[in-house]
Amino acid sequence: MDDQPTAARGVLRVYLGAAPGVGKTFAMLDEGRRRRARGTDVVVGLVETHGRANTAALLEGLELLPRRTVTHRGAVIEELDVDAVLDRRPGVVLIDELAHTNAPGSRNAKRWEDIDELLAADIDVVSTVNIQHLESVNDVVERITGVRQQETVPDAWVRAAEQVQLVDMTPEALRRRMAHGNVYPADRIDAALGNYFRVGNLGALRELALLWVADRVEDELHTYLEAHGITGAWETRERVLVAITGAPDGDGVIRRAARLARRNQGELIGVHISPSDGLVDRRGPDLDRHRQLLEELGGTYREVVGDDIAETLVAVARSERITQVVVGASRRSRRQELTRGSVVNDLLRLARDLDVHVISAPDSASGGVAAVAARIGAGRLHTPLPRRRRTIAWALLLVGGPLLFLSLFPLRDDLGVPTAMLLALTLVVAVGTIGGLLPGVVAAIVCSFAINFLFVPPYGTFTVTHAENVLALAVFVVVGATVSTLVDRVARRSAESARARADADALARSAAVLSTDADPLPSLLAEVRRSLGLEAVSLLHGDPALDDAVAGRWELVSSSGEAPPRRPVDGSVRTVTDDGDWLLVLRGDVDADGVELLETFVGQVAVAVDAVRLRQEAAAAEALLRAEELRTGILQAVSHDLRTPLAGIKASVTSLLSPDMTFGPEDTREFLTLIDDEVDRLDRVVGNLLDMSRLQSGGLRVLRLPTPVEDVVSAAVAGVEDPGSHGVEMRVPADLPLIDVDPALTERAVANVVANALAVQPEGEPVVVDAAVVGDRVHVRVIDRGPGIRPADRARVRAPFQRLGDRSNQAGVGLGLAIAHGFTVTVGGRLELEDTPGGGLTAVFELPIAPVDAGDAGDAGEPGKPGQAAEAGAAAEHAAGESEPAAGDDAVPTGLVATEGGTS
């Protein structure tokens, strides 16, 4: 029966964007208008304009199909009418938001399934989707933005589209579009810009979209090359392959390959080729070091199996689409090249479509291959087989040999020399298989002499009269030695492989310790002791210039094992640092195979020691710097900010007490008011100085409690004096989760920032304080419309005693924002500064959410309950000894510093 023809399927084109608002729907409608102008039958199945006038204008002139309405929980929902599209059967249908979830009761659960049904009916579809809706990156987007996308579409379905076009826009341009009201309504702009549409989020989403599209383009290119039988590499991107052997001169080859890749903005791949039988060792002495060097230079390491080096290199180059191959110059002699061939010549012959770079080595490195051969031969006599197996082999030879020949001797006339040799060869093979090289070779020689003496005429002598018997005896010895050699090599490779795996595991564990542990020395020394089988290991620090007899010369910094060495004379010593003041003392023996691993461990200990010393020096330097900054700031404050109010108070009191002058009630009241204001100002300055001193000395007391966000914000706003007619607009939902903070400190931090915002807010405009959950934190945002702070200055304004020249000394000593930042960090939060769309600055307090079970007792788990207020009050009492909030005292308040060039 003839095969049925395959049903025609429609063509899908998808516009992919990094985030809402980049212009996907606009691009889709624009394409629909272009196709319609060319005579294509185009209809609009479903498009969401979201109230955007420019997008709605593109719908004019396009046929709009009716939508299907669904009533769900009292609400009327409009969905795509698949039947209407199938009845109309247009050439192209435009359908927006393919990841949309259909209303309950629909034919398909997802809109992309509706589109798939239309494609199966041979209708072309143009649609849109955002990167966060692709299933493969859904979890990544959640970690970046803190928002879980419930509507997803399988990547494979989108990748199957005939065309996927990226609609790209920079984060700054998208934020400007939002600020101008081109994406969301005005009441949603501030919240969107402060949460999902932050610059960092948009940049990460944009990178995800670019990488996803680039990956699809790479797949399409590979599919095209395979479909057209193109085996050569297309130089769309340079890929450099370097052969790694571990020879001493390999460093230069790897570095040259890395420079080639870097110069061409390409990819670097290093390959080591191992033999398929595992009996030939191609691992040079520096292979592990070269692999590490390759990875440090940004390359990737691969180990492949192949008997012919040139053929295997070319095969790898073909599969990886390599454009350039880098190898080291051959070290084979003329004789070796004649007998075994030249790898470089074979590579040049096989790789005619590739650029092959042959890197010569300096004369000092001429021992490359020779060094490898010497290393192989040096350990040939040492077998890795266990002593028990070798003992059994020798016993088998000593006992089995005499028994074998005694049993064969009476049958000498009937068996003949060939049969005797085969039976003796069985014994030799058994001895070689069990005991390895030396027992097998000895067995072959002993058995050959025994056969010659007992079975080869003339009997009872070692004389051989026939050449055939001489050849037979020689072959017998060669076969026995060959079997023994093969067994020894297999055992050697197995032992080396097991040792290499153990060493790699040990180094991986120690590297993980170095990168993750704050104090890696104890774990690192334990790994050294365990990997090398030592009794104990100690790290000593001391002065090498002093005599060993000086008491306390060596300090035991860290150790592992029982009764660790406390002096260098208590064990074998390895110098960790060049100046000799750090020593690694080992108690126990290190075998020859463990020396290289020990040297690697010594290097890792040196890195850990340097890290510890750098942390200590950095901590000491930071403490000195902070103390110096605090001392300088206090001196500046005392020199002006404390003397100025004191001078005003002194002048007023002197005037009132002067016997030569008489003041009326109004004048007296004015003097007293001035004294009261200056005393309040003096109290704020001193309080801020004390708070900053506590923050920098670590003496601040913190009592973290589950606290309602509304209570903290309300208390902070209530305690702030409004210098004008601004007011504060609070947008704090009552259903927010509790935050795990010190209520008193958090209230003071928010109060400082709100007061600073009020000081520069334009007349008649309120300062907005809102709050929302973002990821695992609650964000409290203080939004002003002041001059703002330049991004370059935002890190500096959170340091103490910073005014940036924007305000006079009359405003304070520049501690308000520093204290707010310090209080926020102390309670486990963060304070970030962002631009306010349209001008101004937004201070964002990122505060941790309290654990769910933290408020179980006494109804403390629900916001606003009495239990919470009691806890907040307790927190306020604990901080009663601290100075009161210095509202308005910050010389660099949130949104107060004038920006150059304005904001977006």
Side-chain angles (χ1 to χ4, degrees):
M1 185 176 67
D2 296 337
D3 293 336
Q4 294 294 329
T6 303
R9 184 175 174 84
V11 175
L12 173 64
R13 179 167 186 169
V14 176
Y15 284 96
L16 174 69
V22 297
K24 302 180 301 300
T25 304
F26 194 95
M28 179 185 69
L29 292 174
D30 188 53
E31 180 184 350
R33 294 176 67 88
R34 290 197 308 271
R35 292 197 183 192
R36 181 177 178 276
R38 294 195 298 264
T40 305
D41 183 14
V42 180
V43 300
V44 177
L46 189 146
V47 168
E48 299 290 351
T49 64
H50 300 289
R52 303 165 191 164
N54 294 335
T55 304
L58 290 178
L59 288 172
E60 297 179 3
L62 294 175
E63 179 183 349
L64 294 142
L65 295 182
R67 301 186 184 185
R68 180 174 57 87
T69 58
V70 179
T71 302
H72 179 64
R73 295 181 179 178
V76 178
I77 303 173
E78 294 185 342
E79 298 287 1
L80 172 69
D81 194 336
V82 178
D83 292 328
V85 179
L86 292 174
D87 293 340
R88 173 67 173 75
R89 298 198 63 82
V92 178
V93 59
L94 309 181
I95 302 174
D96 209 2
E97 300 177 0
L98 63 85
H100 170 77
T101 301
N102 292 330
S106 301
R107 174 161 43 186
N108 298 308
K110 298 286 187 178
R111 185 170 294 168
W112 67 266
E113 295 174 326
D114 294 339
I115 295 175
D116 195 64
E117 186 175 343
L118 297 176
L119 293 172
D122 194 21
I123 299 175
D124 294 348
V125 178
V126 182
S127 188
T128 65
V129 71
N130 284 324
I131 188 67
Q132 66 264 27
H133 295 298
L134 297 181
E135 184 64 43
S136 65
V137 298
N138 185 256
D139 57 336
V140 180
V141 173
E142 181 181 8
R143 288 194 296 269
I144 294 171
T145 64
V147 178
R148 178 74 175 179
Q149 298 293 338
Q150 301 298 329
E151 297 178 328
T152 59
V153 60
D155 287 61
W157 190 85
V158 180
R159 285 182 181 275
E162 278 70 14
Q163 298 180 57
V164 176
Q165 181 168 334
L166 179 66
V167 182
D168 190 29
M169 180 176 290
T170 64
E172 294 77 9
L174 180 55
R175 285 173 62 88
R176 282 196 298 272
R177 286 198 68 202
M178 295 198 65
H180 296 154
N182 294 330
V183 179
Y184 285 162
D187 59 342
R188 297 175 57 190
I189 292 176
D190 286 342
L193 289 174
N195 297 324
Y196 192 86
F197 287 84
R198 290 179 291 179
V199 174
N201 289 357
L202 295 177
L205 293 174
R206 187 188 187 201
E207 183 178 10
L208 281 177
L210 291 170
L211 291 174
W212 194 92
V213 173
D215 186 53
R216 185 177 186 274
V217 172
E218 182 81 5
D219 292 342
E220 290 178 344
L221 178 60
H222 283 179
T223 302
Y224 178 85
L225 294 176
E226 292 175 0
H228 291 76
I230 302 174
T231 59
W234 283 12
E235 298 183 10
T236 55
R237 181 185 182 189
E238 292 288 348
R239 288 181 171 86
V240 180
L241 179 72
V242 56
I244 299 177
T245 63
D249 57 346
D251 300 66
V253 178
I254 296 172
R255 289 192 173 93
R256 179 68 66 86
R259 288 196 295 272
L260 285 173
R262 190 181 307 113
R263 189 178 300 123
N264 296 288
Q265 300 296 315
E267 182 180 355
L268 176 63
I269 300 174
V271 173
H272 174 72
I273 301 174
S274 300
S276 59
D277 56 9
L279 301 181
V280 179
D281 189 4
R282 293 180 184 154
R283 295 174 59 89
D286 297 328
L287 181 61
D288 292 335
R289 184 170 59 83
H290 288 169
R291 177 173 57 188
Q292 183 178 0
L293 174 63
L294 176 76
E295 293 172 349
E296 290 175 353
L297 295 174
T300 56
Y301 176 82
R302 296 179 185 174
E303 190 162 332
V304 297
V305 175
D307 295 322
D308 189 293
I309 296 177
E311 288 183 359
T312 306
L313 277 177
V314 173
V316 173
R318 297 270 190 263
S319 64
E320 297 291 340
R321 306 294 177 184
I322 296 297
T323 58
Q324 301 187 57
V325 178
V326 180
V327 296
S330 175
R331 292 298 176 188
R332 291 180 178 177
S333 64
R334 293 291 185 185
R335 180 182 58 81
Q336 290 174 325
E337 289 187 356
L338 289 174
T339 57
R340 300 167 56 188
S342 170
V343 174
V344 173
N345 291 338
D346 292 343
L347 184 61
L348 292 173
R349 176 175 52 83
L350 295 171
R352 296 186 179 275
D353 58 336
L354 301 176
D355 294 337
V356 179
H357 304 264
V358 182
I359 310 301
S360 60
D363 293 339
S364 60
S366 61
V369 174
V372 176
R375 184 179 70 87
I376 296 171
R380 188 63 61 87
L381 294 178
H382 172 70
T383 178
L385 291 173
R387 181 184 298 273
R388 179 173 173 271
R389 286 184 58 176
R390 285 178 283 148
T391 302
I392 294 175
W394 287 115
L396 179 61
L397 175 60
L398 293 176
V399 177
L403 291 177
L404 174 64
F405 288 105
L406 286 175
S407 61
L408 293 178
F409 182 75
L411 306 175
R412 179 173 59 182
D413 296 333
D414 299 328
L415 292 178
V417 175
T419 305
M421 283 188 175
L422 288 175
L423 294 174
L425 185 60
T426 304
L427 175 65
V428 173
V429 171
V431 172
T433 302
I434 297 173
L437 180 60
L438 186 58
V441 171
V442 172
I445 295 173
V446 170
C447 289
S448 68
F449 279 106
I451 293 172
N452 183 16
F453 188 82
L454 298 175
F455 293 92
V456 177
Y459 302 125
T461 68
F462 292 104
T463 303
V464 181
T465 58
H466 298 288
E468 179 183 358
N469 292 333
V470 173
L471 180 61
L473 290 172
V475 171
F476 177 85
V477 173
V478 169
V479 170
T482 301
V483 171
S484 303
T485 301
L486 291 176
V487 171
D488 183 77
R489 286 186 176 182
V490 170
R492 192 182 306 277
R493 297 292 86 76
S494 299
E496 290 177 354
S497 176
R499 182 62 184 255
R501 285 196 299 270
D503 291 352
D505 292 341
L507 292 176
R509 289 191 297 268
S510 60
V513 167
L514 278 175
S515 60
T516 57
D517 287 10
D519 183 13
L521 288 174
S523 300
L524 192 56
L525 295 186
E527 189 63 46
V528 173
R529 180 182 61 83
R530 182 168 53 250
S531 300
L532 298 176
L534 302 173
E535 298 176 19
V537 180
S538 296
L539 181 64
L540 305 182
H541 179 234
D543 186 356
L546 298 177
D547 189 89
D548 285 338
V550 177
R553 175 194 172 186
W554 295 105
E555 174 192 359
L556 180 62
V557 178
S558 186
S559 64
S560 177
E562 297 181 0
R566 296 184 176 273
R567 298 180 302 167
V569 296
D570 295 338
S572 58
V573 177
R574 292 291 190 278
T575 303
V576 175
T577 55
D578 294 336
D579 50 11
D581 58 344
W582 291 82
L583 302 178
L584 194 65
V585 184
L586 318 173
R587 192 170 74 245
D589 296 329
V590 179
D591 57 26
D593 294 333
V595 172
E596 185 176 354
L597 179 62
L598 174 60
E599 295 303 324
T600 304
F601 275 132
V602 170
Q604 291 184 332
V605 173
V607 172
V609 168
D610 289 340
V612 170
R613 291 196 298 188
L614 287 175
R615 281 197 296 268
Q616 292 173 348
E617 293 173 1
E622 183 180 2
L624 290 175
L625 179 61
R626 293 172 62 185
E628 181 63 21
E629 290 177 348
L630 184 60
R631 185 184 68 85
T632 303
I634 291 176
L635 289 177
Q636 292 175 349
V638 171
S639 65
H640 185 278
D641 296 285
L642 294 180
R643 292 174 58 187
T644 300
L646 288 174
I649 295 171
K650 175 65 175 175
S652 299
V653 173
T654 302
S655 299
L656 289 174
L657 296 177
S658 175
D660 301 329
M661 301 182 65
T662 302
F663 299 99
E666 291 298 327
D667 294 334
T668 301
R669 180 176 180 79
E670 184 176 350
F671 276 120
L672 294 175
T673 302
L674 176 61
I675 293 172
D676 184 64
D677 292 340
E678 294 295 339
V679 169
D680 289 342
R681 178 184 169 195
L682 185 63
D683 180 66
R684 289 196 299 269
V685 172
V686 172
N688 277 345
L689 289 174
L690 292 175
D691 285 340
M692 184 51 60
S693 176
R694 292 190 185 97
L695 280 171
Q696 295 197 339
S697 65
L700 192 67
R701 293 177 296 168
V702 179
L703 178 61
R704 296 176 65 165
L705 298 171
T707 307
V709 180
E710 187 177 10
D711 289 1
V712 172
V713 175
S714 300
V717 172
V720 175
E721 179 183 355
D722 188 354
S725 57
H726 316 98
V728 178
E729 181 180 343
M730 293 176 53
R731 302 174 183 173
V732 182
D735 58 349
L736 289 176
L738 304 180
I739 52 177
D740 185 23
V741 297
D742 185 310
L745 296 182
T746 308
E747 174 192 331
R748 293 173 61 184
V750 175
N752 264 350
V753 174
V754 171
N756 293 330
L758 286 170
V760 293
Q761 186 76 351
E763 291 292 333
E765 290 194 28
V767 171
V768 177
V769 180
D770 66 16
V773 177
V774 178
D776 60 348
R777 297 205 163 203
V778 172
H779 285 199
V780 177
R781 305 167 70 243
V782 180
I783 306 169
D784 69 54
R785 297 288 179 179
I789 299 178
R790 293 181 302 178
D793 294 329
R794 290 176 187 171
R796 189 155 59 94
V797 298
R798 288 182 293 194
F801 309 107
Q802 299 292 326
R803 297 192 182 88
L804 300 184
D806 64 313
R807 301 181 66 191
S808 67
N809 290 339
Q810 186 70 21
V813 295
L815 286 175
L817 190 56
I819 291 173
H821 176 258
F823 281 175
T824 305
V825 171
T826 301
V827 300
R830 295 175 57 191
L831 176 58
E832 299 292 340
L833 303 178
E834 301 176 353
D835 288 325
T836 299
L841 202 78
T842 299
V844 182
F845 293 89
E846 300 180 7
L847 304 174
I849 296 177
V852 176
D853 59 348
D856 286 347
D859 290 328
E862 300 179 16
K865 289 294 184 73
Q868 313 267 320
E871 288 179 340
E877 289 182 12
H878 108 85
E882 313 287 347
S883 56
E884 291 295 320
D889 180 61
D890 186 8
V892 192
T894 306
L896 304 189
V897 180
T899 60
E900 296 179 4
T903 58
S904 61

